[in-house]
Amino acid sequence: MSRGQKILVTAFAIYAALAGSAMAWAAMTLYGDGLMSVRVHKHQPGGARFSLTVPGSAVRAGLGAVRFIPASAELERATMELRRLGPDLQALAAAIEDCPDAVLVEIEDGRDHVLIEKRDGAFYIQVDGRDADVEVRVPAGLVSMVFETLAST
Amino acid sequence: MNERRRPRSRTLAIAAALALAAAQAGAQAERWLHVKVEEHSGSRARVSVNIPCSLAEAAVGLIPDHVGSHGRVRIDHAEIKGEELRAFLTALRDARDAPYVTVESDDGNARIWKAGETLHIHATKRGRHETVEVKLPMAVVDALVSGPADELNVAAAMRALAETGAGEVVAVDSDDATVRIWVDDRPETK
């Protein structure tokens, strides 16, 4: 292998390593907080099926954008309330993260069936209704992060 | 000298093993608060809530400002004055086992008594099937009155309930619905 080829191969290896690291970093940033998903299925004939998946990092970014909301009396009141609840929100965040897998809430009334469950590190909210079925999946870490962020507002 | 040291190191090893076992047992004994409501009429709804006591305790901390703060509920706006309720519960805690309140009226009967480390409340409605049964460990009553004079420390009561162990706390049985609240160490799974 000539000297020029060696330089070329080395440069390519460095480029590949950097690109790989950047992709890994991007994936970590994007999916590190898990994925939140919402699925809706309407029961009528030809009923719409709707599915939305949002990376947790988008929720984190959305929460970060709260600081850019113009100041108002209502925002001030909300901030004061969050400050008051700060330690309690942090305790709730920790309790949510530590909550073992289980069916937390189940409601059945002949028409609808609602289930809130923690499974495999995520909270599932399932509504099997007469008109539509809805399933929301939120990673427990994301719920905890939201409460942590609100606590530190 | 080495022979002298050996029993000591064995004792230390046993103590460490016991401490580990105790820590493991403590970690496993997560208490769960269960609430079950079953309607007997109308839509015949069934509601089941199963949450770890630690989560319930943390959630109680988020009660709105006008009701209380940090898991403590103000009772100055209720029909009964906070100090009176607190005085009653404190007196009950220190009292010997006996029936303390007995009410018999045209509407129904109610009894409050203490037996051992448990406070019992039993109420029935006259003319229809309706029974309310409450069993509160005295440790929970103690925790309830552990805050300032005009507050009930619900978060501390929840903690005490988890610590005192399994058992039924509230049972309501009527023609309309059945309600049960109890604590155990079994989560509800599908």
Side-chain angles (χ1 to χ4, degrees), chain A residues 46-106:
Chain A
R49 279 176 187 269
F50 167 80
S51 181
L52 174 73
T53 304
V54 182
S57 53
V59 178
R60 187 188 285 271
L63 278 172
V66 168
R67 73 186 67 165
F68 300 114
I69 296 175
S72 67
E74 269 178 36
L75 187 68
E76 183 66 24
R77 210 174 307 130
T79 309
M80 291 288 285
E81 183 68 2
L82 286 173
R83 262 184 216 143
R84 183 182 74 83
L85 295 173
D88 299 313
L89 280 168
Q90 271 169 340
L92 186 62
I96 283 172
E97 191 112 46
D98 294 343
C99 177
D101 285 4
V103 173
L104 302 174
V105 177
E106 188 166 15

Side-chain angles (χ1 to χ4, degrees), chain A residues 93-125:
Chain A
I96 283 172
E97 191 112 46
D98 294 343
C99 177
D101 285 4
V103 173
L104 302 174
V105 177
E106 188 166 15
I107 302 168
E108 218 170 350
D109 70 350
R111 265 180 73 93
D112 304 308
H113 180 219
V114 179
L115 192 76
I116 302 176
E117 183 185 12
K118 188 174 180 199
R119 188 180 358 122
D120 305 326
F123 286 97
Y124 289 82
I125 302 166

Side-chain angles (χ1 to χ4, degrees), chain B residues 4-180:
Chain B
R4 257 190 195 177
R5 273 186 190 165
R6 209 172 289 149
R8 200 174 155 196
S9 60
R10 198 180 299 156
T11 311
L12 278 173
I14 292 169
L18 283 173
L20 268 174
Q24 202 175 3
Q28 283 169 352
E30 169 78 88
R31 300 275 184 207
W32 290 76
L33 178 71
H34 304 272
V35 180
K36 206 153 250 176
V37 181
E38 281 183 27
E39 272 187 355
H40 302 314
S41 55
S43 60
R44 292 185 168 269
R46 287 192 301 136
V47 178
S48 168
V49 178
N50 314 282
I51 50 172
C53 287
S54 54
L55 185 59
E57 185 190 332
V60 163
L62 297 179
I63 50 173
D65 196 22
H66 63 273
V67 180
S69 62
H70 306 301
R72 297 193 301 266
V73 176
R74 271 191 295 277
I75 43 174
D76 52 350
H77 57 276
E79 280 181 19
I80 183 166
K81 280 186 183 167
E83 283 168 28
E84 289 169 358
L85 180 63
R86 194 185 164 84
F88 173 71
L89 291 176
T90 308
L92 208 60
R93 182 186 61 193
D94 301 330
R96 62 186 176 82
D97 290 3
Y100 284 96
V101 177
T102 305
V103 179
E104 287 184 10
S105 73
D106 293 340
D107 294 335
N109 301 334
R111 268 192 342 131
I112 301 176
W113 74 100
K114 188 185 162 193
E117 284 304 303
T118 309
L119 174 70
H120 296 261
I121 301 169
H122 179 87
T124 53
K125 200 153 193 165
R126 208 179 288 269
R128 56 176 297 186
H129 172 59
E130 193 171 314
T131 315
V132 178
E133 193 99 46
V134 180
K135 287 180 212 162
L136 269 186
M138 287 313 289
V140 176
V141 177
D142 279 354
L144 261 181
V145 294
S146 63
D150 60 341
E151 290 181 348
L152 288 180
N153 197 341
V154 182
M158 188 58 71
R159 202 176 314 131
L161 197 59
E163 283 164 6
T164 45
E168 192 167 76
V169 185
V170 176
V172 180
D173 196 13
S174 77
D175 294 331
D176 300 331
T178 308
V179 181
R180 278 184 68 217

Side-chain angles (χ1 to χ4, degrees), chain A residues 121-136:
Chain A
F123 286 97
Y124 289 82
I125 302 166
Q126 269 177 278
V127 182
D128 297 332
R130 190 167 281 186
D131 303 327
D133 292 345
V134 179
E135 186 189 273
V136 179

